[in-house]
Amino acid sequence: MKDNSLSNILNQYESKEQIDGQLYTLNLGPTHPATHGIFQNILTMDGERILHAEQTVGYIHRAFEKISERRNYSQITTLTDRMNYCSAPINNLGWHMTVEKLIGVEVPKRVDYMRVILMELARIGDHLICNGVTGMDSGAITGLTYMFIERERIYDMYEQICGARMTTNMGRIGGFERDFTPKFHELLKDFLKTFPPRFKEFCTLLERNRIFMDRTIGAGGISAERALSYGFTGPNLRAAGVDYDVRVAQPYSSYQDFDFIIPVGTAGDTYDRFMVRQQEIWESIKIIKQAYENLPEGSFHADVPDFYLPEKADVYQKMEALIYHFKIVMGETDVPKGEVYHAVEGGNGELGFYLVSDGGRSPYRLHFRRPCFIYYQAYPEMITGSVISDAIVTMCSMNIIAGELDA
């Protein structure tokens, strides 16, 4: 394997090749706005050229996995919010599916479709921010400001489901706290009608823009082989030409019922990552339409009284409901012993939950498979030899989110 250590690079780097005969150390982060989070890259540079990069992470590590081992299963939902906060509902619902797999609960078909609608809305919101900021980091801020408006419309729909907007605590083990409200139906119908033409304007602004293409094509490329070696998943892997998506490879929440394609790139560079996310937004719209038009009748939660809070009116009037309410809130429900892994296709790739239960009221061990943490390891390789401006757009197009990087 090639020796990319700093000492080896400096030994091979002759002074006559340097721009001014001197190398520089540049700290990119931990608080630079272009890093989109609190993490650091120590760059060794010859002028604008990056010769070596070394990451420093852990600035906002919050020990979520260890905290989870002291919380009951319902309370862990609020921790998953704080990982990829750009698409928090996917984190929440993925965690609930993991617990349901452990306790052997099958949710109604209506719950599956409701979850699909909300997870795809979250995917759209996540990709809008990533691609909007990619445009901004290449010098075009207008697209981001318009896409923020569309994300706010998605947050309005979240608010109808759970009362929150960004960190959502969305849903419950077994389903949802409540059914879709009339206002949610109104907002979703309007979104499906008016979002596509507005998003088309954003596509027109950047996709074939010569300045944007010159800034992104060839920047931060990675081959399919190297991406797989690092453990890439999601848009960053598909941009490199690998057709892998958890929704298709290991369907969950009835994704097998829907007709959609998986966009795939070729070069694995910033432009391909941008375009894969652009096309995924169109596919998410297709999935939402199919799920909403075929939304099954039935209950919005499974029959799991050990985990699902009873109706508040019953709690005030019936002793059994009061007992269950107390047990659930205080985490006094034991779960079966077992070991499960469940993954969903998050905004950044395979978001997995490895859960070990010893039969108690909290996980014996819980590990989050966080896509950002895995593919950020490749960042130095992807930017070495490039200039600093390419390093900025590369980082943005990878959608590195500090909350998911440091769980």
Side-chain angles (χ1 to χ4, degrees):
M1 182 176 290
K2 185 179 179 182
D3 185 358
N4 288 322
S5 66
L6 177 58
S7 59
N8 184 63
I9 290 173
L10 295 180
N11 288 335
Q12 296 180 4
Y13 203 67
E14 299 179 5
S15 60
K16 65 180 182 181
E17 295 177 340
Q18 298 177 15
I19 292 177
D20 59 3
Q22 183 177 356
L23 300 184
Y24 300 90
T25 298
L26 175 68
N27 282 290
L28 180 59
T31 56
H32 194 286
T35 59
H36 308 289
I38 308 173
F39 45 92
Q40 181 186 35
N41 288 276
I42 304 171
L43 307 180
T44 300
M45 303 188 65
D46 171 20
E48 285 285 301
R49 185 75 55 187
I50 298 169
L51 305 180
H52 184 265
E54 181 178 343
Q55 312 117 309
T56 305
V57 301
Y59 285 95
I60 62 167
H61 179 61
R62 297 146 294 174
F64 282 169
E65 294 173 349
K66 288 303 172 187
I67 294 173
S68 299
E69 294 169 11
R70 297 294 182 268
R71 287 194 174 189
N72 70 57
Y73 287 83
S74 297
Q75 292 173 337
I76 294 171
T77 306
T78 57
L79 299 178
T80 65
D81 271 324
R82 273 82 181 164
M83 292 195 296
N84 185 351
Y85 36 75
C86 290
S87 49
I90 300 180
N91 309 347
N92 300 156
L93 302 178
W95 165 242
H96 296 154
M97 293 178 215
T98 305
V99 180
E100 289 160 8
K101 180 181 286 189
L102 176 66
I103 64 180
V105 168
E106 184 175 348
V107 301
K109 198 75 166 178
R110 182 178 181 85
V111 172
D112 278 348
Y113 278 49
M114 291 171 69
R115 283 175 170 173
V116 165
I117 291 170
L118 292 166
M119 286 189 289
E120 294 307 315
L121 284 171
R123 193 181 319 282
I124 291 172
D126 194 304
H127 288 354
L128 287 178
I129 296 306
C130 177
N131 282 1
V133 175
T134 301
M136 181 186 72
D137 281 355
S138 62
I141 195 172
T142 302
L144 174 65
T145 58
Y146 278 84
M147 289 302 100
F148 253 95
I149 296 172
E150 300 307 308
R151 191 187 71 161
E152 287 302 301
R153 298 173 67 203
I154 294 174
Y155 280 9
D156 289 342
M157 287 183 268
Y158 291 172
E159 204 167 14
Q160 291 298 313
I161 300 298
C162 62
R165 298 175 69 83
M166 188 171 185
T167 48
T168 55
N169 195 22
M170 180 81 75
R172 296 290 182 267
I173 296 169
F176 288 88
E177 181 187 3
R178 67 195 77 170
D179 206 347
F180 287 161
T181 65
K183 182 64 174 179
F184 176 86
H185 288 279
E186 177 187 330
L187 292 173
L188 181 59
K189 289 176 182 176
D190 182 62
F191 183 81
L192 292 174
K193 179 181 178 181
T194 59
F195 173 73
R198 293 173 181 174
F199 180 59
K200 182 63 177 176
E201 292 179 357
F202 178 76
C203 298
T204 304
L205 177 69
L206 291 179
E207 286 183 1
R208 302 302 297 169
N209 183 298
R210 174 47 56 190
I211 298 173
F212 181 75
M213 293 173 70
D214 286 345
R215 285 285 290 107
T216 55
I217 292 176
I222 188 169
S223 68
E225 179 183 6
R226 293 300 293 161
L228 288 169
S229 297
Y230 276 108
F232 276 34
T233 54
N236 294 337
L237 177 63
R238 293 190 286 272
V242 181
D243 185 5
Y244 175 75
D245 189 303
V246 181
R247 295 172 294 176
V248 175
Q250 300 170 343
Y252 56 91
S253 199
S254 296
Y255 266 105
Q256 66 273 12
D257 294 354
F258 307 110
D259 178 30
F260 61 102
I261 65 171
I262 305 301
V264 178
T266 56
D269 59 10
T270 296
Y271 186 73
D272 271 15
R273 288 188 285 270
F274 174 85
M275 288 302 300
V276 163
R277 286 186 171 88
Q278 289 287 94
Q279 293 304 311
E280 285 188 7
I281 289 174
W282 291 115
E283 294 304 311
S284 291
I285 288 292
K286 285 170 52 178
I287 294 171
I288 294 170
K289 285 181 177 178
Q290 293 173 65
Y292 186 63
E293 291 170 358
N294 299 288
L295 189 63
E297 298 294 330
S299 177
F300 53 88
H301 65 87
D303 184 17
V304 280
D306 286 336
F307 289 92
Y308 193 86
L309 289 172
E311 292 289 338
K312 186 62 72 175
D314 292 340
V315 173
Y316 290 141
Q317 301 178 29
K318 301 177 182 178
M319 177 58 70
E320 184 182 43
L322 177 61
I323 292 171
Y324 270 112
H325 186 278
F326 178 83
K327 288 181 65 178
I328 294 168
V329 171
M330 299 305 294
E332 296 190 356
T333 301
D334 293 334
V335 303
K337 292 183 179 180
E339 181 177 342
V340 298
Y341 176 78
H342 183 72
V344 296
E345 183 67 30
N348 284 322
E350 182 174 330
L351 173 64
F353 302 87
Y354 172 62
L355 172 61
V356 180
S357 167
D358 61 358
R361 299 171 180 179
S362 301
Y364 173 76
R365 182 71 178 95
L366 177 60
H367 175 64
F368 301 120
R369 186 199 187 277
R370 311 181 310 278
C372 276
F373 180 73
I374 292 168
Y375 60 66
Y376 183 50
Q377 299 171 73
Y379 183 63
E381 178 180 323
M382 295 167 68
I383 64 172
T384 298
S386 67
V387 295
I388 189 68
S389 57
D390 286 348
I392 299 300
V393 294
T394 298
M395 180 184 295
C396 181
S397 69
M398 294 174 75
N399 202 24
I400 298 172
I401 296 173
E404 188 175 273
L405 178 68
D406 282 337

